mmCIF file with all atom_site columns, all heavy atoms in Angstrom:
data_model
loop_
_atom_site.group_PDB
_atom_site.id
_atom_site.type_symbol
_atom_site.label_atom_id
_atom_site.label_alt_id
_atom_site.label_comp_id
_atom_site.label_asym_id
_atom_site.label_entity_id
_atom_site.label_seq_id
_atom_site.pdbx_PDB_ins_code
_atom_site.Cartn_x
_atom_site.Cartn_y
_atom_site.Cartn_z
_atom_site.occupancy
_atom_site.B_iso_or_equiv
_atom_site.pdbx_formal_charge
_atom_site.auth_seq_id
_atom_site.auth_comp_id
_atom_site.auth_asym_id
_atom_site.auth_atom_id
_atom_site.pdbx_PDB_model_num
ATOM 1  N N   . THR I 1 21 ? 26.401 18.603 10.431 1.00 96.00 ? 488 THR I N   1
ATOM 2  C CA  . THR I 1 21 ? 27.780 18.379 9.995  1.00 96.00 ? 488 THR I CA  1
ATOM 3  C C   . THR I 1 21 ? 28.367 17.121 10.615 1.00 96.00 ? 488 THR I C   1
ATOM 4  O O   . THR I 1 21 ? 29.545 16.831 10.438 1.00 96.00 ? 488 THR I O   1
ATOM 5  C CB  . THR I 1 21 ? 28.669 19.581 10.392 1.00 96.00 ? 488 THR I CB  1
ATOM 6  O OG1 . THR I 1 21 ? 28.624 19.735 11.833 1.00 96.00 ? 488 THR I OG1 1
ATOM 7  C CG2 . THR I 1 21 ? 28.185 20.859 9.740  1.00 96.00 ? 488 THR I CG2 1
ATOM 8  N N   . ASP I 1 22 ? 27.528 16.380 11.337 1.00 94.00 ? 489 ASP I N   1
ATOM 9  C CA  . ASP I 1 22 ? 28.013 15.219 12.068 1.00 94.00 ? 489 ASP I CA  1
ATOM 10 C C   . ASP I 1 22 ? 26.980 14.105 11.988 1.00 94.00 ? 489 ASP I C   1
ATOM 11 O O   . ASP I 1 22 ? 25.812 14.311 12.344 1.00 94.00 ? 489 ASP I O   1
ATOM 12 C CB  . ASP I 1 22 ? 28.259 15.617 13.529 1.00 94.00 ? 489 ASP I CB  1
ATOM 13 C CG  . ASP I 1 22 ? 28.695 14.452 14.388 1.00 94.00 ? 489 ASP I CG  1
ATOM 14 O OD1 . ASP I 1 22 ? 29.860 14.035 14.259 1.00 94.00 ? 489 ASP I OD1 1
ATOM 15 O OD2 . ASP I 1 22 ? 27.860 13.960 15.163 1.00 94.00 ? 489 ASP I OD2 1
ATOM 16 N N   . THR I 1 23 ? 27.378 12.934 11.522 1.00 97.00 ? 490 THR I N   1
ATOM 17 C CA  . THR I 1 23 ? 26.429 11.832 11.352 1.00 97.00 ? 490 THR I CA  1
ATOM 18 C C   . THR I 1 23 ? 25.803 11.421 12.678 1.00 97.00 ? 490 THR I C   1
ATOM 19 O O   . THR I 1 23 ? 24.575 11.282 12.779 1.00 97.00 ? 490 THR I O   1
ATOM 20 C CB  . THR I 1 23 ? 27.126 10.611 10.720 1.00 97.00 ? 490 THR I CB  1
ATOM 21 O OG1 . THR I 1 23 ? 27.861 11.024 9.569  1.00 97.00 ? 490 THR I OG1 1
ATOM 22 C CG2 . THR I 1 23 ? 26.117 9.567  10.301 1.00 97.00 ? 490 THR I CG2 1
ATOM 23 N N   . ALA I 1 24 ? 26.635 11.231 13.697 1.00 97.00 ? 491 ALA I N   1
ATOM 24 C CA  . ALA I 1 24 ? 26.120 10.820 15.005 1.00 97.00 ? 491 ALA I CA  1
ATOM 25 C C   . ALA I 1 24 ? 25.186 11.887 15.566 1.00 97.00 ? 491 ALA I C   1
ATOM 26 O O   . ALA I 1 24 ? 24.160 11.573 16.183 1.00 97.00 ? 491 ALA I O   1
ATOM 27 C CB  . ALA I 1 24 ? 27.267 10.552 15.964 1.00 97.00 ? 491 ALA I CB  1
ATOM 28 N N   . GLY I 1 25 ? 25.538 13.154 15.353 1.00 97.00 ? 492 GLY I N   1
ATOM 29 C CA  . GLY I 1 25 ? 24.685 14.242 15.816 1.00 97.00 ? 492 GLY I CA  1
ATOM 30 C C   . GLY I 1 25 ? 23.332 14.239 15.121 1.00 97.00 ? 492 GLY I C   1
ATOM 31 O O   . GLY I 1 25 ? 22.297 14.483 15.743 1.00 97.00 ? 492 GLY I O   1
ATOM 32 N N   . ALA I 1 26 ? 23.346 13.957 13.821 1.00 98.00 ? 493 ALA I N   1
ATOM 33 C CA  . ALA I 1 26 ? 22.093 13.908 13.058 1.00 98.00 ? 493 ALA I CA  1
ATOM 34 C C   . ALA I 1 26 ? 21.207 12.774 13.567 1.00 98.00 ? 493 ALA I C   1
ATOM 35 O O   . ALA I 1 26 ? 19.990 12.941 13.717 1.00 98.00 ? 493 ALA I O   1
ATOM 36 C CB  . ALA I 1 26 ? 22.390 13.735 11.579 1.00 98.00 ? 493 ALA I CB  1
ATOM 37 N N   . ILE I 1 27 ? 21.811 11.632 13.828 1.00 98.00 ? 494 ILE I N   1
ATOM 38 C CA  . ILE I 1 27 ? 21.038 10.499 14.340 1.00 98.00 ? 494 ILE I CA  1
ATOM 39 C C   . ILE I 1 27 ? 20.473 10.819 15.725 1.00 98.00 ? 494 ILE I C   1
ATOM 40 O O   . ILE I 1 27 ? 19.300 10.548 16.012 1.00 98.00 ? 494 ILE I O   1
ATOM 41 C CB  . ILE I 1 27 ? 21.919 9.231  14.385 1.00 98.00 ? 494 ILE I CB  1
ATOM 42 C CG1 . ILE I 1 27 ? 22.303 8.798  12.963 1.00 98.00 ? 494 ILE I CG1 1
ATOM 43 C CG2 . ILE I 1 27 ? 21.198 8.093  15.109 1.00 98.00 ? 494 ILE I CG2 1
ATOM 44 C CD1 . ILE I 1 27 ? 23.364 7.718  12.905 1.00 98.00 ? 494 ILE I CD1 1
ATOM 45 N N   . ALA I 1 28 ? 21.292 11.424 16.576 1.00 98.00 ? 495 ALA I N   1
ATOM 46 C CA  . ALA I 1 28 ? 20.837 11.777 17.929 1.00 98.00 ? 495 ALA I CA  1
ATOM 47 C C   . ALA I 1 28 ? 19.712 12.801 17.872 1.00 98.00 ? 495 ALA I C   1
ATOM 48 O O   . ALA I 1 28 ? 18.721 12.700 18.620 1.00 98.00 ? 495 ALA I O   1
ATOM 49 C CB  . ALA I 1 28 ? 22.006 12.310 18.749 1.00 98.00 ? 495 ALA I CB  1
ATOM 50 N N   . ALA I 1 29 ? 19.848 13.791 16.979 1.00 98.00 ? 496 ALA I N   1
ATOM 51 C CA  . ALA I 1 29 ? 18.811 14.815 16.853 1.00 98.00 ? 496 ALA I CA  1
ATOM 52 C C   . ALA I 1 29 ? 17.508 14.204 16.347 1.00 98.00 ? 496 ALA I C   1
ATOM 53 O O   . ALA I 1 29 ? 16.419 14.497 16.862 1.00 98.00 ? 496 ALA I O   1
ATOM 54 C CB  . ALA I 1 29 ? 19.280 15.922 15.916 1.00 98.00 ? 496 ALA I CB  1
ATOM 55 N N   . GLY I 1 30 ? 17.617 13.356 15.333 1.00 98.00 ? 497 GLY I N   1
ATOM 56 C CA  . GLY I 1 30 ? 16.422 12.716 14.794 1.00 98.00 ? 497 GLY I CA  1
ATOM 57 C C   . GLY I 1 30 ? 15.745 11.839 15.826 1.00 98.00 ? 497 GLY I C   1
ATOM 58 O O   . GLY I 1 30 ? 14.508 11.815 15.935 1.00 98.00 ? 497 GLY I O   1
ATOM 59 N N   . THR I 1 31 ? 16.540 11.119 16.591 1.00 98.00 ? 498 THR I N   1
ATOM 60 C CA  . THR I 1 31 ? 15.983 10.262 17.636 1.00 98.00 ? 498 THR I CA  1
ATOM 61 C C   . THR I 1 31 ? 15.242 11.083 18.677 1.00 98.00 ? 498 THR I C   1
ATOM 62 O O   . THR I 1 31 ? 14.128 10.733 19.098 1.00 98.00 ? 498 THR I O   1
ATOM 63 C CB  . THR I 1 31 ? 17.107 9.443  18.309 1.00 98.00 ? 498 THR I CB  1
ATOM 64 O OG1 . THR I 1 31 ? 17.761 8.641  17.317 1.00 98.00 ? 498 THR I OG1 1
ATOM 65 C CG2 . THR I 1 31 ? 16.555 8.546  19.402 1.00 98.00 ? 498 THR I CG2 1
ATOM 66 N N   . ALA I 1 32 ? 15.830 12.197 19.081 1.00 98.00 ? 499 ALA I N   1
ATOM 67 C CA  . ALA I 1 32 ? 15.186 13.073 20.068 1.00 98.00 ? 499 ALA I CA  1
ATOM 68 C C   . ALA I 1 32 ? 13.866 13.622 19.535 1.00 98.00 ? 499 ALA I C   1
ATOM 69 O O   . ALA I 1 32 ? 12.855 13.657 20.254 1.00 98.00 ? 499 ALA I O   1
ATOM 70 C CB  . ALA I 1 32 ? 16.123 14.211 20.446 1.00 98.00 ? 499 ALA I CB  1
#
Side-chain angles (χ1 to χ4, degrees):
T488 59
D489 177 74
T490 311
I494 294 170
T498 301

